[in-house]
Amino acid sequence: MRPLRIVGGRVIDPASGLDRVADVRVRDGRVVAIEPSLPAVEDELVLDAHGRVVAPGFVDLHCHLGEPGHEDRETLATGTRAAAAGGFTTVCCMGDTEPRLDCGAELAAMQSRAAATAVVRVRPIGCVTRGHDGAELAELAELAEAGAVAFSDDARPVRSSRLLRHALAYSAMLGRPVVEHAVDPDLANGGHMHEGRIATWLGLPGIPAAAEEIAVARAIALAGLTGGRLHLAHLSSAGAVAQLRTARAAGIAVTAEVTPLHLLLTHDVVATGPWGAPYDTSTKLDPPLRGEDDVSALREALIDGTIAAVATDHRPQRSVDKDCEYAYAAPGASALETAFGVLMELVAADVLSLPIALRALTCGPARVFELEAGRLDVGGTADLVVLDPQAAWTVDPASFHSRGRSTPLAGRSLRGQVLATLVGGEIVHREGI
Ligand SMILES: [Zn+2]
């Protein structure tokens, strides 16, 4: 592998607080020097980062990569190409594949497929219950042994409080969090969007914020009871944020993530869609986009660190599952390639600072799952990105590397381009540099 020198960029490492203009040298897959000015060496590749930002590669705690079993939605190859284009060098994938990632053998099989076809690091999240069906606990110790970084039945909650209690008790012993998709399924049943004025106006059955709040209260109570490690997936409501804040202050081991779309958009977009028409199924997400107060609470919690991470919940769907009536459409959006652009929109609007946005994509998530990732330091693995935080671009789903083409951001102008992504010193994405 040729040595590489990244010249003249603003090097930001939120983990250490480093923020200065410097050159970065990469050799044999590692960062070997970060200095104000580094001399040229023979046969090196040079990336000119003047006016650009050099940062740790992004870490996604939550994505759905389709393989095995749902290759018509996404594959490890296409999903990780999308991740690389979005600046992600480590992605944690959910176990709702077919077969499910619910035993050591399935995890091993998925990881060997990833070793052959993925272009970024893929870390599996094992199922909490066998078959992902909520009836019986999976072999959590075996899953941890096989490389699971966390346990989740995401796409649905763990229905039984008794099983969730046991899973949380194991999480403390195994040092791996339980990731809960917090929703009361009975209360949410039949709903297609946030319950509020827009749902009333459009005549769509709603999902009240209380459906999330009830589930968050249950999960936090069980984390307190067991001393377990709880991580709340994709929070969407102000009420849930308030509970999270109280629980953390009380010393309960609970962390949380928020998606870029829930930081940017409200349920109003269901009425307008990306193209000015209501009922556009690209706006159907799980949990749904909620109100302005919810978005404000989520932003505030991300800024003060109550919410540790931005996670994409990249959930690509087939066009046949989106090109239908709103009520029948599958929820989810393709999100890996727009996450950074959304955050830079928020930076440009003075909602977030650039270091906070980068923290939420790097060391913030890495700490939640205790991953060796999300840092940029001398001696460390060269998983890094070169970014242009200001560059404006327009979201064109047809140009996505992901198989999923549905996003409520279609046609929208965003800021912030990923110019280069390096995994272990190897360039896995390069555009405009
Ligand atoms: Zn989920």
Side-chain angles (χ1 to χ4, degrees), residues 62 64 154-156 181 233-234 286-287 313 315:
H62 188 152
H64 300 263
D154 184 69
R156 59 180 73 141
H181 174 127
H234 45 54
D286 177 17
D313 192 14
R315 197 169 166 189

Side-chain angles (χ1 to χ4, degrees), residues 72-98:
D72 45 357
R73 294 182 202 156
E74 195 76 287
T75 66
L76 289 161
T78 59
T80 57
R81 280 289 301 122
F88 292 91
T89 53
T90 298
V91 294
C92 303
C93 63
M94 287 294 173
D96 60 337
T97 51
E98 203 58 62

Side-chain angles (χ1 to χ4, degrees), residues 66-362:
E67 192 173 347
H70 300 295
E71 288 84 353
D72 45 357
R73 294 182 202 156
E74 195 76 287
T75 66
L76 289 161
T78 59
T80 57
R81 280 289 301 122
F88 292 91
T89 53
T90 298
V91 294
C92 303
C93 63
M94 287 294 173
D96 60 337
T97 51
E98 203 58 62
R100 313 294 197 189
L101 303 182
D102 69 350
C103 65
E106 292 304 338
L107 240 65
M110 193 286 284
Q111 285 170 299
S112 70
R113 271 190 297 270
T117 63
V119 300
V120 307
R121 302 178 201 280
V122 178
R123 309 296 301 270
I125 297 172
C127 296
V128 173
T129 63
R130 209 180 287 273
H132 198 260
D133 65 5
E136 198 186 336
L137 222 51
E139 292 292 343
L140 301 186
E142 179 188 305
L143 286 168
E145 181 76 14
V149 292
F151 311 110
S152 184
D153 277 359
D154 184 69
R156 59 180 73 141
V158 178
R159 220 176 173 149
S160 153
S161 300
R162 183 177 52 80
L163 287 186
L164 183 56
R165 173 194 185 164
H166 291 321
L168 282 162
Y170 274 107
S171 78
M173 286 186 277
L174 298 170
R176 306 279 197 287
V178 172
V179 182
E180 179 67 343
H181 174 127
V183 67
D184 179 315
D186 296 316
L187 190 55
N189 190 24
H192 301 298
M193 64 173 294
H194 174 57
E195 184 171 300
R197 61 185 166 81
I198 306 285
T200 307
W201 183 58
L202 293 174
L204 286 171
I207 301 169
E212 181 172 86
E213 292 159 8
I214 290 167
V216 165
R218 179 187 76 139
I220 286 174
L222 294 172
L225 177 66
T226 55
R229 252 302 270 121
L230 172 66
H231 179 69
L232 298 167
H234 45 54
L235 282 194
S236 69
S237 67
V241 169
Q243 292 184 64
L244 170 68
R245 206 181 285 284
T246 308
R248 286 175 59 82
I252 294 172
V254 53
T255 52
E257 69 193 32
V258 59
T259 83
L261 293 175
H262 289 86
L263 284 172
L264 183 72
L265 302 173
T266 66
H267 60 155
D268 289 86
V269 78
V270 185
T272 61
W275 310 109
Y279 307 108
D280 191 303
T281 57
S282 69
T283 64
K284 186 168 180 179
L285 304 177
D286 177 17
L289 295 164
R290 298 195 186 274
E292 264 173 49
D293 292 350
D294 300 301
V295 171
S296 303
L298 292 165
R299 289 174 175 181
E300 197 184 318
L302 185 69
I303 291 164
D304 71 20
T306 301
I307 292 178
V310 165
T312 66
D313 192 14
H314 174 77
R315 197 169 166 189
Q317 299 289 3
R318 302 177 305 171
S319 56
V320 66
D321 295 321
K322 282 290 191 181
D323 295 343
C324 56
E325 276 178 60
Y326 207 86
Y328 299 114
S334 200
L336 283 165
E337 288 161 88
T338 54
F340 179 63
V342 168
L343 290 190
M344 289 309 102
E345 267 304 289
L346 295 174
V347 169
D350 268 339
V351 173
L352 301 177
S353 70
L354 180 61
I356 284 180
L358 291 176
R359 179 187 75 193
L361 289 167
T362 59

